[in-house]
Amino acid sequence: TLCLGKMADKEKKKSEIVQLHEELWIVEDSVQFYRMTVPTRMVVIRFPNGNLWIYSPTWLSPTVKAFLDGIGQVSYIVEPNKIHNQTLAEYKLAYPNARFYAPLGLPQRRRDFSFDQVIHDNTQIADWSGLMEHAATKGNSFFSELLFFHHPTKTMIVGDLIENFPPGEAFANGCMENCVASCFGIERRPIASPEHKLYTNDAAAFDQSVATARQWEADMIIICHGKNIDSGARQCFNAVCDELVAISNNRFGCTHSLMAAMGKWQ
């Protein structure tokens, strides 16, 4: 990998820009989530025509903006799920001609923002044809998540479906953070996020929605939170999906109803 720079961003946030491939970069940053500081990651892909495709945009510091403007034209901005939405306004201000894409549920959460298109599992986007393939998760009462596969680099890109934190790296140190990491086991191995584990109530619908993604011949999985999966990518993805299906199938009916109600309330 090629590290292109580090800098102090807004307040105490830090970003690191890393090139993984000639046409693929990631930006490492952090975000506040329920008063916890969570590491997060943006994916930047440059298409052959110079247009940039961005997944899960992080804070747009002057350095990050200069980096983006220096490698191509920001054209497509995609949010993975409805809880990834904190930086939309600054990207819209900086790139008014870019197209913004949302998963199901995000337009309802961000009624103050106008998206160009909501992506479903069968949505066709001509500008990405032959370059990007996608799937939209189902069976979760809280959210749907957009998963992508970049054919030229054989890279799968996911938001919260997989988290992979080495011990002690899930959050900044703190009592609440340590309790969350311990309760949900997110520091032991690649595993689905709490939102997926808690609210996936229809195992069959989820399994059907990731059937295509299970067949992607990925060499790497870039995830938004934790260490990327750079070996055994397809096996890892399938194992996480299998475990999520098992968790949902083993849940009592009353628990399904409770989680479904909580997911809609949130």
Side-chain angles (χ1 to χ4, degrees), residues 133-150:
E133 192 172 346
H134 77 273
T137 64
K138 296 179 179 179
N140 186 303
S141 61
F142 177 59
F143 64 11
S144 173
E145 179 165 311
L146 298 176
L147 319 174
F148 286 89
F149 182 66
H150 183 229

Side-chain angles (χ1 to χ4, degrees), residues 54-232:
I54 292 174
Y55 183 86
S56 188
T58 55
W59 303 107
L60 190 62
S61 69
T63 303
V64 171
K65 187 176 187 305
F67 153 69
L68 293 172
D69 294 344
I71 64 169
Q73 179 177 333
V74 174
S75 301
Y76 315 106
I77 298 174
V78 183
E79 290 289 15
N81 56 56
K82 73 178 187 182
I83 58 178
H84 285 238
N85 66 68
Q86 294 188 19
T87 64
L88 285 167
E90 57 188 66
Y91 278 82
K92 185 67 172 179
L93 182 64
Y95 303 107
N97 295 322
R99 290 184 60 83
F100 288 77
Y101 297 87
L104 289 169
L106 180 52
Q108 289 72 32
R109 172 161 285 205
R110 288 297 305 268
R111 297 181 186 277
D112 61 318
F113 192 87
S114 178
F115 291 95
D116 293 282
Q117 189 170 359
V118 175
I119 299 180
H120 302 258
D121 55 344
N122 58 354
T123 302
Q124 300 295 319
I125 302 177
D127 289 354
W128 309 349
S129 179
L131 296 171
M132 308 295 299
E133 192 172 346
H134 77 273
T137 64
K138 296 179 179 179
N140 186 303
S141 61
F142 177 59
F143 64 11
S144 173
E145 179 165 311
L146 298 176
L147 319 174
F148 286 89
F149 182 66
H150 183 229
H151 284 279
T153 60
K154 294 186 176 181
T155 301
M156 184 186 294
I157 303 162
V158 309
D160 299 336
L161 181 56
I162 301 176
E163 296 183 344
N164 181 33
F165 291 105
E169 294 186 15
F171 306 105
N173 290 333
C175 180
M176 181 184 296
E177 290 89 338
N178 291 334
C179 286
V180 170
S182 176
C183 288
F184 290 101
I186 60 176
E187 291 189 323
R188 297 195 300 267
R189 55 189 169 82
I191 195 169
S193 72
E195 294 85 2
H196 279 284
K197 293 172 72 175
L198 285 173
Y199 300 118
T200 297
N201 298 308
D202 188 334
F206 169 77
D207 207 23
Q208 182 277 329
S209 70
V210 297
T212 297
R214 284 178 177 271
Q215 302 304 315
W216 292 339
E217 296 287 350
D219 290 338
M220 167 184 275
I221 305 175
I222 298 179
I223 62 180
C224 285
H225 309 295
K227 187 177 183 295
N228 290 326
I229 311 299
D230 53 16
S231 64

Side-chain angles (χ1 to χ4, degrees), residues 9-71:
D9 283 344
K10 300 177 179 179
E11 300 175 351
K12 296 183 179 179
K13 301 181 182 71
K14 292 183 178 180
S15 296
E16 181 180 359
I17 302 165
V18 181
Q19 187 170 12
L20 301 179
H21 185 272
E22 184 179 356
E23 308 296 340
L24 172 62
W25 295 261
I26 56 175
V27 179
E28 309 278 4
D29 210 324
S30 62
V31 66
Q32 291 293 312
F33 185 66
Y34 288 111
R35 298 187 179 181
M36 298 180 290
T37 301
V38 183
T40 191
R41 179 176 294 117
M42 171 169 75
V43 181
V44 182
I45 293 175
R46 182 169 57 199
F47 291 164
N49 62 3
N51 287 343
L52 300 183
W53 180 94
I54 292 174
Y55 183 86
S56 188
T58 55
W59 303 107
L60 190 62
S61 69
T63 303
V64 171
K65 187 176 187 305
F67 153 69
L68 293 172
D69 294 344
I71 64 169

